[in-house]
Amino acid sequence: MFSRVAETRSFSAAARSFDTTTSSISKRIAALEARLGVRLLARTTRRVSLTDAGAAFYAHVSKILAEVAEAEEAVARLGGSVRGTLRLTAPTVFGEHYVAALVPQLLAEHPDLRVELVLTDRLVNLAEEGFDCAVRIGTLADSSLVAVRIAEVESVVCGAPSYLAARGTPQTPQDLAVHDCIHLSLIPLAREWRFRDEGGHELSVPVTSRFVLNSGAAMGGAVVAGAGLARLPMFLVEDALARGEVVEVLHAWKTRPTPVHVVYPGSPQLAPRLRVFVDRMRRTCTHHAKRGVTARPKRRRRNARIAIAMPKKMA
């Protein structure tokens, strides 16, 4: 419990992790401090921080817990059992569409499994924040994480009818130079969009934006509202396309499919609880292929390329 408070800097977050109350966590840590005879945490109304003694204690505790987890994983692999807590994170909209929906079936199939899912559009440090794995969408930057490619996401360039009526419809990627192109602030390469024509020739064009956001869902809403053009994943924009709220442009120029990976630290050998999640994700993506998400053959590699980008990646 102390370790989780130290990681999250929050008694309430730790309480949620252990499915208990904040007061219970506080009492247990107070008892620990009394036994050790030192104050481990500095508490204020706004934040929780480690004291010097707390930082030293956490350094030892985290190593011990990591070794216990490694021992449990080793035994679980031998027995093939799926048990323990799987802590994972995924991009908000993709997680809502595909990840959250598969968890109930995983829990039903594996009674000893517990899942903690955090949906966020920021890049999460798995080791520092105590996650087992993350779903990443886009080209990956160099890292020691192991990456399993599970799918590809199709994207389209689109805009609202009101915007196109006022500003015109681009006929070629070069026409984007005179348009407002909305992009995500989390994307390092958001100001350059890549296309491929019907002959397979690739083209990269710079784009400008008067509207920058840090949420994929909000970017979709901005497009519907007529704020500009955006390159959006099909699963995010398909309903708006069907209702006529947005219109696809540059039909002859296709965007490169965006890879989807599950990344995790540690050994390339998947722990049982992580393996069943990866397999379920791949089957889910296969089922939803019509929505622009296509499952990929099994492939695993080290030195994964991890970066925030959308549509290169929705972090």
Side-chain angles (χ1 to χ4, degrees), residues 101-244:
L102 65 81
V103 171
Q105 190 167 1
L106 277 181
L107 297 178
E109 293 174 353
H110 306 286
D112 294 326
L113 178 66
R114 182 173 182 269
V115 176
E116 294 181 20
L117 172 62
V118 175
L119 302 181
T120 177
D121 287 333
R122 69 179 179 87
L123 185 63
V124 173
N125 187 308
L126 302 186
E128 290 184 2
E129 300 183 48
F131 284 95
D132 295 300
C133 67
V135 177
R136 302 286 196 219
I137 303 179
T139 303
L140 304 178
D142 291 338
S143 168
S144 61
L145 296 175
V146 180
V148 181
R149 185 162 177 161
I150 59 171
E152 289 182 342
V153 174
E154 299 292 338
S155 298
V156 296
V157 178
C158 54
S162 59
Y163 174 86
L164 298 175
R167 299 289 298 275
T169 301
Q171 301 300 314
T172 68
Q174 292 88 340
D175 293 342
L176 294 174
V178 297
H179 283 270
D180 292 328
C181 297
I182 306 168
H183 75 263
L184 213 62
S185 61
L186 303 173
I187 311 173
L189 300 177
R191 297 182 182 276
E192 182 177 286
W193 292 0
R194 296 183 179 182
F195 297 89
R196 182 183 293 111
D197 66 13
E198 294 176 343
H201 302 97
E202 293 193 355
L203 175 67
S204 295
V205 297
V207 296
T208 58
S209 176
R210 297 171 54 215
F211 195 2
V212 182
L213 307 93
N214 68 347
S215 164
M219 187 163 68
V223 174
V224 172
L229 302 177
R231 182 179 170 184
L232 295 170
M234 182 60 75
F235 69 82
L236 177 62
V237 76
E238 64 174 348
D239 291 338
L241 284 168
R243 292 191 296 265

Side-chain angles (χ1 to χ4, degrees), residues 204-288:
S204 295
V205 297
V207 296
T208 58
S209 176
R210 297 171 54 215
F211 195 2
V212 182
L213 307 93
N214 68 347
S215 164
M219 187 163 68
V223 174
V224 172
L229 302 177
R231 182 179 170 184
L232 295 170
M234 182 60 75
F235 69 82
L236 177 62
V237 76
E238 64 174 348
D239 291 338
L241 284 168
R243 292 191 296 265
E245 295 173 342
V246 298
V247 177
E248 181 182 356
V249 299
L250 300 176
H251 298 271
W253 295 82
K254 299 301 180 183
T255 59
R256 181 181 298 177
T258 305
V260 180
H261 294 87
V262 174
V263 301
Y264 59 95
S267 168
Q269 183 178 2
L270 289 172
R273 64 175 179 266
L274 185 52
R275 184 187 65 248
V276 296
F277 169 70
V278 170
D279 290 343
R280 178 66 63 182
M281 272 298 304
R282 187 176 284 111
R283 291 199 295 273
T284 297
C285 291
T286 299
H287 177 71
H288 292 287

Side-chain angles (χ1 to χ4, degrees), residues 87-103:
R87 297 193 72 232
L88 63 135
T89 179
T92 302
V93 178
F94 187 87
E96 291 171 348
H97 277 75
Y98 302 109
V99 183
L102 65 81
V103 171

